[in-house]
Amino acid sequence: NNSKLSAAAEELVKAACSHVETTSLALQKKTADGIVNVSQSNSAIQKSLDEMKKNSDKDSILLSQTVEKLTTLNQLVDKLTDETIKSNAAQLKNQMLQWAISNCGINSFKYYDRDIETDSAQLVKSILLRFRLDNGSYVISSGRCLSRTYGMTPAQKETEEKKFRDALVSQISDLAGVIPRLVLEKDNRYAIYYS
């Protein structure tokens, strides 16, 4: 039953990723088509400019002004292209995170926080919400383990705490479609970042 739920969750994640990818690709194609049209127009203008250059000195002034306008137009197209790519990436990230937040119970796991059994869904949800704000989140892993630690040596507890951090990264990765970055900060606390 649990494997069927995991399989269904995987299919949901794949379907959401596919939908977001399709939407992003459509936007990128539309942008690329617009850039191609502008590029073709630029080529036609350049050809006209070359012909005008051959004419007279009067045309030389007009040619200079046209070249200046064409240069400005090309700069605007480059800027628009960059902004569109950034916007598409941000939109994709937000869609993926929203889906992950709404489905944070998928592939959740039980862990022990100082020997009190807890479900990972709420912790994962709070981390994903911080990701939406482009923030990381401290992960208090001290005392958080996948099994009870009563009677364990400090080395065994550290191994269990690492298993907890690995399971947390795995669940977030499954939900968000990216492997989050887990970093041991200078103050010896672990922080988790979107990527």
Side-chain angles (χ1 to χ4, degrees):
N1 189 20
N2 205 9
S3 68
K4 287 182 182 178
L5 183 59
S6 290
E10 276 187 48
E11 289 301 315
L12 282 172
V13 169
K14 287 178 185 176
C17 290
S18 176
H19 173 70
V20 169
E21 208 173 280
T22 302
T23 303
S24 179
L25 287 174
L27 286 171
Q28 290 173 358
K29 180 169 179 3
K30 191 174 182 181
T31 301
D33 290 344
I35 291 170
V36 166
N37 289 339
V38 169
S39 179
Q40 289 171 348
S41 296
N42 286 347
S43 295
I45 292 171
Q46 189 65 45
K47 187 175 179 181
S48 295
L49 291 176
D50 291 341
E51 289 176 17
M52 288 171 58
K53 192 173 184 181
K54 295 176 185 174
N55 290 337
S56 69
D57 288 341
K58 268 187 184 180
D59 291 340
S60 176
I61 293 170
L62 182 59
L63 176 65
S64 175
Q65 292 171 344
T66 305
V67 167
E68 190 175 303
K69 289 178 182 177
L70 183 60
T71 301
T72 302
L73 178 64
N74 281 332
Q75 290 169 347
L76 290 172
V77 167
D78 289 344
K79 183 178 178 183
L80 178 63
T81 301
D82 290 343
E83 289 174 1
T84 301
I85 290 170
K86 287 177 186 174
S87 174
N88 286 346
Q91 182 182 12
L92 176 65
K93 175 186 171 186
N94 282 330
Q95 287 175 342
M96 298 278 293
L97 286 174
Q98 185 57 48
W99 186 91
I101 290 165
S102 297
N103 295 284
C104 65
I106 294 174
N107 290 340
S108 67
F109 59 92
K110 300 289 184 202
Y111 68 95
Y112 293 88
D113 188 354
R114 292 172 178 62
D115 285 335
I116 298 172
E117 188 177 70
T118 308
D119 187 81
S120 65
Q122 196 58 37
L123 175 62
V124 166
K125 185 175 188 175
S126 69
I127 291 170
L128 293 170
L129 287 168
R130 303 236 350 123
F131 286 175
R132 278 187 47 197
L133 300 172
D134 289 328
N135 293 322
S137 180
Y138 281 110
V139 177
I140 301 168
S141 62
S142 178
R144 289 183 176 170
C145 301
L146 296 182
S147 60
R148 293 188 188 278
T149 58
Y150 182 76
M152 288 187 181
T153 66
Q156 290 171 323
K157 284 182 184 180
E158 177 56 37
T159 299
E160 285 298 312
E161 290 169 356
K162 182 181 181 330
K163 287 179 184 177
F164 162 78
R165 291 188 300 270
D166 291 345
L168 185 65
V169 166
S170 177
Q171 183 183 0
I172 291 172
S173 175
D174 289 347
L175 289 169
V178 297
I179 299 172
R181 190 168 41 98
L182 190 65
V183 177
L184 181 60
E185 299 287 356
K186 291 178 183 177
D187 61 0
N188 283 330
R189 293 192 297 173
Y190 283 92
I192 192 166
Y193 299 95
Y194 180 72
S195 62

